Amino acid sequence: MTAGQPRTDKTERTPAAGPTGPDEPLPSLTEQMAEQLGGWRGMVESSIPVLVFVVVNIIGELRPAVIAAVAVAVAIAGLRLAQRRPIRHAVNGLFGIGIGALIAWRTGDERDFYLPGILYGYAYGVVLLGSAALRQPLVGWIWSIIAAGGRSEWRQNPRLVRTFTWLTVLWGVVWILKVGAQHALYVANMTTALGAARLALGYPPYALLLVITIWVVRRVNRREPAVPTATVAN
């Protein structure tokens, strides 16, 4: 069932519009989670380069850590490509690792490896809160793309607009808080703790927000009253 689409009974079920077409059912919560997180393999693979950087930087120096992190990220992307697996998450991770590695290499400060992620996190949080303030909640539009085949009927449903608005605020606040914690460690020059925070505050909050969002939207959709399919003449 798509956002804003009323629930019907079994005898008058209307096909839900999903990401693959109007006759496809809406993916399950598990399927949507797997798509956005890249599955358990995607979550692990995206964390490995950062973990490699943290470990090598502790036992060695900055340059070997940068080289090792980038090499691992490239190897992961290449392996997924060779296996004909989706590489979107691997490419995104490689891009982020590459920018951070380049900055750290140029400045000679290992903290700067994490700087792009901090700046991106602040920007993302501000965009989320701004979209909610403008009554164009970003989470609602993202839902339309990943779970409703591009359909945006939720814009005509005041209840769903309110739901997506407060969900967007929740995402924005959580994003700014988690990036703020990393920023504090960056300013305090606690590089090892910063690396640990980058890992701990990466996928876990994101996964929790996805679970909350999918559960809340589905719950709101289930509560929508059914629309009569025919009017009986007196």
Side-chain angles (χ1 to χ4, degrees):
M1 176 166 53
T2 60
Q5 181 179 359
R7 189 179 183 88
T8 57
D9 59 30
K10 293 182 179 179
T11 61
E12 299 177 344
R13 186 177 302 275
T14 300
T20 57
D23 296 326
E24 294 292 333
L26 184 67
S28 67
L29 185 148
T30 302
E31 291 170 337
Q32 292 182 52
M33 286 287 294
E35 166 65 19
Q36 293 307 300
L37 297 176
W40 287 108
R41 175 173 175 172
M43 294 170 62
V44 171
E45 288 177 347
S46 66
S47 301
I48 290 176
V50 178
L51 179 61
V52 168
F53 178 85
V54 172
V55 172
V56 176
N57 191 53
I58 291 174
I59 63 178
E61 298 180 351
L62 173 62
R63 289 194 174 186
V66 168
I67 294 172
V70 172
V72 168
V74 171
I76 290 173
L79 179 62
R80 292 188 71 89
L81 185 62
Q83 296 176 340
R84 300 183 182 276
R85 293 177 176 270
I87 63 171
R88 173 167 58 92
H89 298 283
V91 171
N92 291 342
L94 177 59
F95 180 77
I97 292 294
I99 295 296
L102 178 62
I103 295 175
W105 188 289
R106 294 290 297 272
T107 64
D109 189 342
E110 60 266 27
R111 295 181 304 161
D112 291 338
F113 179 80
Y114 306 102
L115 186 57
I118 293 174
L119 296 178
Y120 166 79
Y122 275 134
Y124 189 46
V126 170
V127 169
L128 283 163
L129 295 177
S131 71
L134 294 173
R135 300 287 291 174
Q136 295 289 335
L138 185 58
V139 170
W141 292 110
I142 294 174
W143 177 271
S144 295
I145 295 171
I146 69 172
R151 298 161 64 93
S152 57
E153 287 89 344
W154 63 270
R155 289 296 304 164
Q156 285 72 51
N157 186 322
R159 186 174 184 180
L160 279 169
V161 171
R162 290 193 299 270
T163 298
F164 281 125
T165 297
W166 75 255
L167 283 170
T168 300
V169 171
L170 175 64
W171 276 74
V173 169
V174 170
W175 222 263
I176 288 178
L177 287 176
K178 76 169 192 169
V179 175
Q182 295 177 57
H183 188 191
L185 295 172
Y186 177 88
V187 172
N189 199 19
M190 301 174 65
T191 306
T192 302
L194 178 57
R198 166 74 177 270
L199 294 170
L201 298 177
Y203 271 113
Y206 183 38
L208 179 59
L209 287 171
L210 276 175
V211 169
I212 293 173
T213 299
I214 296 170
W215 181 82
V216 168
V217 175
R218 286 174 176 269
R219 186 177 178 85
V220 171
N221 279 333
R222 285 197 298 270
R223 289 181 176 179
E224 288 298 306
V227 177
T229 57
T231 301
V232 179
N234 292 327

